[in-house]
Amino acid sequence: MKKVSKTVGTIMAAGALLLSGTAGWMPGPEVASAATTAAKPPTVDQVISKVTATAKTLKNFHLDVIKKQDIQTGGVKVSNTNTLKLDISRLPNFAAAGSVDISLLETSYDLYANDKEFYYLVDGSELLADSEDTAADTGEDEAVSSSDAVTDGDGEPIDPEAQYWLGLEKQEWEAFYSKAQYDPASMLNSVKNVKKSMKVTTVGTQTVLQFTVTDPAAAKAIIALYDQENLWDGETLLPKSATWKLFLNTKTWQTEKLTVDLSYALAADGTKDTYTTKIEAKYSKNNKVTPITKPAELE
């Protein structure tokens, strides 16, 4: 089977919220003025503590992720966008259901996962096409030419008009989603090693927790977390920078948005390809997602 986990936000500038006072004449001989003051953001530790505590009570949410990637290899530029829409159940058990659209393949797939199983839904016609490609690539005497030559897990002929759930390896699933990447509590734990680089700002009704790292080891860890499907044995990762920003509702401490920007190169056999990845993840429907059930075909 061909891989469907081929990768892959916009950056919002952080600022300060200013609370301005007013000055005017008061009765009597003296003039009183209220100085302009700046709202003091909480510390990094305070934000992490508040978000973690809030996330522990979050039963479910909806996630929309747009992951864009540009790859420059030689004189050729390849671009791909993954658009992921998932309903996530966190408590009492993890489950996810939704879809991913992959621009490079010009196709989309329904998805389902729990803590131990990961699946995508594929058309029978695509299974047949993949079988023909495999037969041709392996040099078989006769390529598959009819649906009768290919069977499903029950030994039944593949119906080109039907759809089939196929298993994904955990690494393939995590090219789209993992708790370490996107879960409101788990992702804070996954970036704790760069806490010294974090800073907090307040923008309107949002508190922004962010960091940018250029140290090779630190940037490599973030790249491996969000772009792990691009890293293959025999290639040398040359990190440039990684910027991570978490946008939080200042009143509720719920996660509202995450952006990740990665820049790096992969070198192998005397060649070097450059990668630019931009991720924007938006969170909504907190505790309002319909219960997720396992597709009947997988029971």
Side-chain angles (χ1 to χ4, degrees), residues 223-296:
I223 293 166
L225 176 63
Y226 286 95
D227 266 2
Q228 57 185 278
E229 70 276 9
N230 292 334
L231 309 182
W232 298 89
D233 292 339
E235 293 182 319
T236 301
L237 173 60
L238 305 172
K240 293 182 180 179
S241 66
T243 297
W244 186 95
K245 294 185 180 182
L246 188 65
F247 296 78
L248 307 157
N249 185 297
T250 304
K251 290 184 177 181
T252 65
W253 294 105
Q254 295 281 10
T255 299
E256 295 185 336
K257 186 172 71 170
L258 169 73
T259 65
V260 182
D261 292 80
L262 310 173
S263 178
Y264 60 98
L266 292 176
D269 300 326
T271 64
K272 184 169 68 175
D273 300 334
T274 59
Y275 288 74
T276 301
T277 298
K278 292 183 177 292
I279 298 171
E280 181 180 69
K282 294 183 178 180
Y283 297 75
S284 61
K285 299 182 181 179
N286 292 336
N287 296 324
K288 296 179 181 179
V289 167
T290 303
I292 298 169
T293 59
K294 190 175 183 179

Side-chain angles (χ1 to χ4, degrees), residues 64-297:
D64 288 288
V65 181
I66 298 177
K67 183 175 184 179
K68 299 180 179 180
Q69 189 168 75
D70 292 326
I71 306 169
Q72 188 74 38
T73 173
V76 179
K77 181 179 180 180
V78 178
S79 298
N80 181 59
T81 299
N82 285 353
T83 302
L84 178 69
K85 298 179 182 296
L86 281 181
D87 285 339
I88 306 291
S89 175
R90 298 183 70 250
L91 301 172
N93 300 305
F94 172 79
S99 63
V100 63
D101 182 272
I102 305 171
S103 68
L104 193 64
L105 301 180
E106 297 183 342
T107 191
S108 62
Y109 297 98
D110 287 346
L111 300 170
Y112 170 79
N114 56 40
D115 272 325
K116 298 180 180 179
E117 303 170 294
F118 317 97
Y119 298 95
Y120 73 108
L121 188 64
V122 62
D123 292 337
S125 58
E126 186 170 344
L127 286 177
L128 295 174
D130 285 344
S131 296
E132 293 175 357
D133 290 343
T134 300
D137 291 341
T138 56
E140 293 181 4
D141 293 337
E142 294 183 6
V144 177
S145 59
S146 71
S147 60
D148 291 338
V150 184
T151 59
D152 61 18
D154 297 323
E156 296 295 326
I158 294 293
D159 180 356
E161 301 298 325
Q163 292 184 310
Y164 298 86
W165 286 102
L166 298 183
L168 286 168
E169 296 295 331
K170 183 178 181 181
Q171 184 176 0
E172 293 177 314
W173 163 256
E174 290 182 348
F176 303 132
Y177 174 90
S178 75
K179 295 177 185 178
Q181 293 168 327
Y182 297 116
D183 180 85
S186 298
M187 64 182 174
L188 285 174
N189 188 57
S190 67
V191 297
K192 64 182 180 181
N193 290 338
V194 295
K195 191 171 74 170
K196 291 183 178 180
S197 299
M198 293 181 183
K199 63 180 181 178
V200 177
T201 55
T202 303
V203 182
T205 60
Q206 290 182 318
T207 295
V208 184
L209 178 67
Q210 61 186 297
F211 63 80
T212 295
V213 290
T214 56
D215 172 74
K220 181 179 181 179
I222 305 303
I223 293 166
L225 176 63
Y226 286 95
D227 266 2
Q228 57 185 278
E229 70 276 9
N230 292 334
L231 309 182
W232 298 89
D233 292 339
E235 293 182 319
T236 301
L237 173 60
L238 305 172
K240 293 182 180 179
S241 66
T243 297
W244 186 95
K245 294 185 180 182
L246 188 65
F247 296 78
L248 307 157
N249 185 297
T250 304
K251 290 184 177 181
T252 65
W253 294 105
Q254 295 281 10
T255 299
E256 295 185 336
K257 186 172 71 170
L258 169 73
T259 65
V260 182
D261 292 80
L262 310 173
S263 178
Y264 60 98
L266 292 176
D269 300 326
T271 64
K272 184 169 68 175
D273 300 334
T274 59
Y275 288 74
T276 301
T277 298
K278 292 183 177 292
I279 298 171
E280 181 180 69
K282 294 183 178 180
Y283 297 75
S284 61
K285 299 182 181 179
N286 292 336
N287 296 324
K288 296 179 181 179
V289 167
T290 303
I292 298 169
T293 59
K294 190 175 183 179
E297 298 88 346

Side-chain angles (χ1 to χ4, degrees), residues 19-27 30-37:
L19 301 178
S20 298
T22 58
W25 289 99
M26 301 290 288
E30 296 182 358
V31 177
S33 65
T36 298
T37 59

